[in-house]
Amino acid sequence: HLEPLPNAARAHTTRGSWDAPHVVLAPGRSLNTELRRSDLGFRAPLRHLRHVEVWLGSKDLTKTRYPDPGPLLDVFPEEEDAPSFYAVPCPQVLQEATQMLRLKVCRRMPPAHLLSNEALCQREEQAARPLIDQWLQGRWEVQGSKVCWISQTPDRLFLLGPHPECSSILLAAGLSGHGYKMAPWIAGQLRDHI
């Protein structure tokens, strides 16, 4: 847990304690648990959602290309209440290892929390099939899917900056599963608070 100090913070871990002028706290969906454990009054306004990544693959490397306007695909259907999707290519190293072009496809719609992980994956794989046929010319096949958790603020903006009760503790939360790709920008924002 974290202990606020005058002009610093102390981090207590199972391997000992250390002091630092600033500590960045970015624990994902356990942020409020960590804040409670540290006896810091502020609670982050986060909601946690299960999110499914559906993995598509194509072994036809000569005919299949990433969809235009690749490498990122955003699909917003004309029907107002239809879900939208986005697709992101997998890293080159994974493609070389599998000898397959791979895409990660996610649907912008909070999944039903009453479904099991297995049922949720099956539902999202089925939902991706029209996308494969209509937008990806049917050359891609579902390779599998995985449930993960994302955390969001009510306005879906990142929660970045100093803790309101201890400026030595910087928060980075509510990143909606996009924190890894935004890491350089997030680091720059937090640097500006130091």
Side-chain angles (χ1 to χ4, degrees), residues 85-188:
F85 290 85
Y86 67 92
V88 183
C90 295
Q92 189 68 34
V93 68
L94 179 60
Q95 295 171 36
E96 290 169 1
T98 59
Q99 289 297 297
M100 181 183 295
L101 287 175
R102 306 241 352 218
L103 277 176
K104 175 181 85 170
V105 177
C106 296
R107 184 159 67 143
R108 288 188 186 91
M109 178 181 283
H113 286 282
L114 298 177
L115 295 176
S116 68
N117 284 353
E118 183 179 335
L120 191 56
C121 284
Q122 289 173 355
R123 184 187 83 175
E124 295 302 298
E125 286 179 19
Q126 286 292 52
R129 292 190 194 287
L131 172 78
I132 297 167
D133 295 336
Q134 182 178 357
W135 296 96
L136 302 176
Q137 295 85 40
R139 294 191 184 118
W140 298 79
E141 296 177 4
V142 172
Q143 301 291 313
S145 55
K146 177 183 177 186
V147 171
C148 55
W149 284 92
I150 61 171
S151 298
Q152 292 180 335
T153 59
D155 59 9
R156 297 186 179 189
L157 299 176
F158 295 168
L159 175 63
L160 296 175
H163 188 286
E165 296 177 14
C166 179
S167 61
S168 296
I169 298 173
L170 301 172
L171 304 175
L175 307 178
S176 296
H178 299 289
Y180 68 96
K181 68 183 175 192
M182 300 293 292
W185 179 83
I186 290 170

